[in-house]
């Protein structure tokens, strides 16, 4: 099932890229494995998946203990609590969900203690949905400015989750806004390196996300559910 799902999904991603005049190689597919067992993750890896997404540190730690590090990367896509930062830094190559300057400061401190530089994305709640984590769009640039001076984190880009809706097209303005925020941050040279990653697009709305410039898709159900 996972093999068939992945080949179908990859064909759909390729056709969305063609339609949007994008390079397929520019797009990273993160297989979001929350609620799935290690066996399923291993299957996905055997089918060529190189990036695994989890939304809880504790759940990820258990699977990481079984599967371990390897020729694949672990991504944290869910909210990170301050008291889980230390454990998260041992597992995740990229933390997509940095939603406050305060959290970034904690990550920076822990990363310094571990002697590493932690890659992060800044999560923006572009739709200003009260049920979602993330900085408000109008706060994001200021927060990035505050994070830019932290030596043990590297801000690779931005992440957003589009509002739930039966209609994928509804996600478009939110994705577009995230891209514009990234462009603005780069234009203003808030960081002395370029923000490159746009983590946006899930099972329902990844085609729209690709059209709007996503280069990191977070997909769960379309891979793991038959
Ligand atoms: C679950 C989850 C996804 C994947 O969603 P699907 O609809 O299963 O593709 C992506 N991002 C985040 C933050 C998630 O929690």
């Amino acid at each position: 099932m996972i093999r068939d799902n992945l080949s179908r999904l990859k064909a759909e991603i390729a056709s969305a890229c063609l339609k949007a005049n994008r390079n397929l190689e520019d797009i990273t597919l993160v297989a979001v494995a929350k609620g799935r067992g290690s066996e399923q993750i291993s299957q996905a890896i055997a089918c060529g998946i190189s990036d695994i997404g989890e939304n809880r540190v504790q759940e990820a730690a258990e699977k990481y203990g079984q599967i371990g590090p390897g020729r694949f990367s672990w991504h944290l896509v869910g909210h990170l609590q301050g008291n889980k930062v230390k454990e998260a830094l041992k597992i995740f190559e990229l933390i997509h969900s940095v939603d406050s300057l305060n959290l970034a400061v904690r990550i920076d401190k822990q990363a310094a203690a571990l002697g590493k530089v932690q890659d992060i994305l800044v999560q923006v709640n572009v739709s200003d949905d009260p049920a979602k984590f993330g900085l408000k769009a109008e706060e994001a640039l200021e927060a990035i400015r505050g994070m830019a001076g932290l030596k043990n984190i590297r801000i690779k880009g931005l992440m957003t989750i589009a509002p739930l809706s039966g209609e994928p097209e509804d996600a478009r303005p939110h994705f577009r806004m995230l891209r514009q925020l990234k462009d603005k941050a780069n234009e203003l040279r808030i960081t002395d390196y370029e923000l490159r990653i746009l983590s946006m697009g899930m099972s329902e709305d990844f085609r729209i996300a690709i059209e709007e410039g996503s280069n990191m898709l977070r997909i769960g159900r379309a891979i793991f559910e038959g």
Side-chain angles (χ1 to χ4, degrees):
M1 179 188 73
I2 290 176
R3 184 170 297 279
D4 291 345
N5 283 351
L6 271 171
S7 55
R8 188 180 329 113
L9 178 61
K10 282 181 182 162
E12 286 176 14
I13 292 171
S15 102
C17 282
L18 204 61
K19 186 178 165 210
N21 205 10
R22 302 271 321 273
N23 286 325
L24 183 59
E25 310 84 70
D26 292 341
I27 297 187
T28 301
L29 172 60
V30 179
V32 178
K34 61 173 183 242
R36 321 287 171 185
S38 302
E39 179 56 35
Q40 283 172 287
I41 299 176
S42 299
Q43 265 183 51
I45 291 168
C47 297
I49 281 293
S50 56
D51 295 87
I52 304 156
E54 289 286 348
N55 73 336
R56 292 168 154 217
V57 177
Q58 196 51 50
E59 183 183 336
E62 282 166 29
K63 296 180 214 172
Y64 184 83
Q66 290 158 359
I67 304 171
R71 289 193 311 279
F72 43 88
S73 310
W74 294 80
H75 297 241
L76 180 64
V77 302
H79 181 63
L80 176 58
Q81 289 172 290
N83 62 358
K84 298 276 167 60
V85 167
K86 189 173 179 182
E87 187 157 29
L89 263 55
K90 293 178 189 156
I91 301 173
F92 298 107
E93 204 137 304
L94 182 62
I95 298 174
H96 293 227
S97 48
V98 177
D99 55 8
S100 70
L101 178 55
N102 187 37
L103 179 60
V105 168
R106 292 182 83 138
I107 293 171
D108 180 68
K109 272 202 189 117
Q110 268 307 325
L114 293 170
K116 71 181 282 198
V117 175
Q118 177 67 46
D119 287 344
I120 66 154
L121 302 178
V122 174
Q123 181 174 355
V124 186
N125 184 3
V126 275
S127 58
D128 206 5
D129 176 348
K132 285 202 183 74
F133 290 102
L135 287 151
K136 289 181 195 248
E138 60 270 23
E139 304 168 336
L141 294 181
E142 204 45 46
I144 294 170
R145 213 181 289 284
M147 295 175 197
L150 301 170
K151 297 282 180 266
N152 289 82
I153 61 167
R154 190 162 177 99
I155 310 166
K156 305 294 279 189
L158 305 181
M159 178 271 226
T160 199
I161 306 170
L164 261 184
S165 137
E167 180 48 66
E169 189 59 38
D170 291 348
R172 189 184 299 281
H174 306 288
F175 291 157
R176 187 166 294 177
M177 199 177 200
L178 195 73
R179 185 186 59 195
Q180 287 166 348
L181 264 177
K182 176 179 77 78
D183 291 347
K184 189 86 194 164
N186 286 331
E187 208 178 286
L188 296 172
R189 297 182 183 277
I190 295 181
T191 44
D192 53 20
Y193 46 86
E194 195 184 346
L195 308 188
R196 290 181 181 276
I197 297 179
L198 281 175
S199 167
M200 55 191 201
M202 312 190 347
S203 293
E204 305 294 341
D205 52 23
F206 68 86
R207 296 169 198 82
I208 306 290
I210 289 170
E211 289 174 20
E212 295 301 327
S214 171
N215 49 24
M216 194 168 274
L217 305 172
R218 307 180 311 269
I219 298 187
R221 285 169 301 149
I223 296 173
F224 294 105
E225 284 175 18

